[in-house]
Amino acid sequence: MLKPLVLSAALFCSAATFAASALSVPGALDAAGNKVLTIINKEPPGQRCNNNTQVAVEVANVYRVPIRIVPASLAAGLPAPAVFYGDKLIAADGKDHNGMSSYQMVADVMEFENAPKFAKTGLIYQEKVRKDYDALKAVIKSGGK
């Protein structure tokens, strides 16, 4: 009889600890109550978070959502790099996907959340622009080499 009580107490304590450690994202909603895509970047020297910023470019060409890119120094207590939609964690350093997002990961969350879309996608999805954009991403990933 004591075992179920001990197990229940342990589960309750674990749940309380998890809730206390949940990440609070300031500005998760805009003034109109819309969820914000928040990207937290590491800061120089030597720290860059180009991948998540590039994902934001792609998202901005499809979804009508506010996007905020924040340096880690202005996001006290939050991991960097990290990506949130509203207060939902998509990727974070030391947590899910170790801070690296992808367009598909973000789009999946936005689809699930019924995020509004533009009637027509932006220029980034036109063949010539996309080719140049992908070439730029490749240069950035290679460190300019």
Side-chain angles (χ1 to χ4, degrees):
M1 189 69 164
L2 187 59
K3 284 184 182 179
L5 184 58
V6 171
L7 181 58
S8 294
L11 290 174
F12 176 77
C13 290
S14 295
T17 301
F18 176 75
S21 68
L23 301 173
S24 175
V25 181
L29 302 176
D30 68 7
N34 301 309
K35 290 183 179 180
V36 174
L37 179 66
T38 302
I39 297 172
I40 302 170
N41 284 344
K42 287 188 176 183
E43 297 177 57
Q47 299 294 327
R48 298 180 62 182
C49 298
N50 289 317
N51 179 73
N52 292 337
T53 303
Q54 292 163 5
V55 168
V57 168
E58 294 179 52
V59 167
N61 275 262
V62 176
Y63 293 93
R64 291 183 55 204
V65 298
I67 298 174
R68 177 173 77 137
I69 299 176
V70 180
S73 63
L74 297 179
L78 295 176
V83 179
F84 297 88
Y85 182 58
D87 59 359
K88 178 168 180 37
L89 174 68
I90 297 173
D93 186 45
K95 296 183 186 303
D96 293 349
H97 310 286
N98 205 26
M100 295 285 289
S101 70
S102 69
Y103 171 78
Q104 195 58 57
M105 287 168 51
V106 175
D108 286 349
V109 170
M110 293 193 160
E111 287 296 319
F112 183 77
E113 297 280 333
N114 293 315
K117 289 183 172 182
F118 289 108
K120 191 170 136 181
T121 59
L123 295 176
I124 200 80
Y125 292 104
Q126 290 182 0
E127 187 176 337
K128 175 162 179 13
V129 175
R130 186 62 192 209
K131 186 177 171 183
D132 292 344
Y133 177 68
D134 287 340
L136 174 64
K137 285 185 357 182
V139 167
I140 291 169
K141 283 185 182 183
S142 71
K145 297 173 186 169

